[in-house]
Amino acid sequence: LPVIFYFTWKAFVPGEMSILKYIGFYSGGLFIWSLTEYVMHRFVFHFTPHGKLMERIHFIFHGVHHDYPNDAKRLVMPPSVSIPLATGFYFLFTLFFGEFTVAAFFAGFITGYLFYDMTHYALHHANFKSAFWKKLKKHHMTHHYAESDKGYGVSSDFWDKIFGSNYK
């Protein structure tokens, strides 16, 4: 939250950004996060390792989560990984956007990550009454317990539908 608040402040105060422009770039950041979540889960977390060292790295990185899906300590990325990764994404985005535009965009991107992290934890540990959350939980649990080569979206099945990795 402090990162989101800081970049929001930066867009509005020193950047003097209009609310409509902020909403547009913030929404763009959310949208790009959703695609990033899907791509990272499908192609980074589920890559096919070759060799003992790569198998070990893959297991530590994501395989252990699939072996112990309800272990609360393995549901969120540790800050030692997430902070450098977020920093890398921030600098990547500065290649495309100016200082204040990237602030609004990055606030949306990080909000998407925060929503993803909280959603992922809840999908593994909460009991839902809402049809929306029940459907999303079923989607993610099917990925864990039946078809780990499909259903890569965690906070949404949107990209699974677009890229054909949804369940039949």
Side-chain angles (χ1 to χ4, degrees):
L1 286 176
V3 172
I4 296 164
F5 291 139
Y6 169 75
F7 282 106
T8 297
W9 170 85
K10 186 173 181 176
F12 281 122
V13 179
E16 300 177 348
M17 186 174 287
S18 72
I19 187 76
L20 287 177
K21 189 173 178 182
Y22 177 84
I23 289 170
F25 283 107
Y26 182 91
S27 298
L30 283 171
F31 180 77
I32 293 300
W33 165 256
S34 72
L35 179 59
T36 302
E37 170 193 320
Y38 175 85
V39 167
M40 288 192 63
H41 190 196
R42 182 172 184 174
F43 298 108
V44 177
F45 295 169
H46 282 272
F47 77 97
T48 303
H50 300 287
K52 293 285 185 198
L53 177 62
M54 291 308 291
E55 287 175 8
R56 183 73 180 141
I57 290 170
H58 178 264
F59 180 76
I60 291 167
F61 196 54
H62 191 66
V64 71
H65 173 59
H66 273 266
D67 283 1
Y68 305 99
N70 292 319
D71 184 343
K73 294 179 181 150
R74 290 181 167 84
L75 288 177
V76 295
M77 210 176 296
S80 61
V81 176
S82 60
I83 291 171
L85 195 56
T87 302
F89 275 112
Y90 174 78
F91 285 114
L92 173 66
F93 299 147
T94 64
L95 299 174
F96 303 99
F97 301 114
E99 178 181 4
F100 303 116
T101 305
V102 79
F105 184 88
F106 195 63
F109 187 83
I110 294 298
T111 300
Y113 172 73
L114 183 62
F115 179 77
Y116 154 80
D117 245 2
M118 293 186 318
T119 298
H120 190 220
Y121 189 89
L123 292 176
H124 282 271
H125 292 289
N127 293 317
F128 300 107
K129 295 182 193 232
S130 155
F132 170 83
W133 289 105
K134 282 182 176 182
K135 181 182 174 213
L136 195 57
K137 183 169 184 160
K138 181 180 179 191
H139 179 81
H140 189 60
M141 292 304 118
T142 300
H143 171 76
H144 271 282
Y145 295 106
E147 297 183 67
S148 65
D149 61 337
K150 295 191 182 314
Y152 299 103
V154 175
S155 53
S156 166
D157 65 354
F158 175 77
W159 294 110
D160 285 309
K161 290 176 183 174
I162 298 295
F163 293 120
S165 56
N166 211 12
Y167 311 109
K168 302 280 183 212

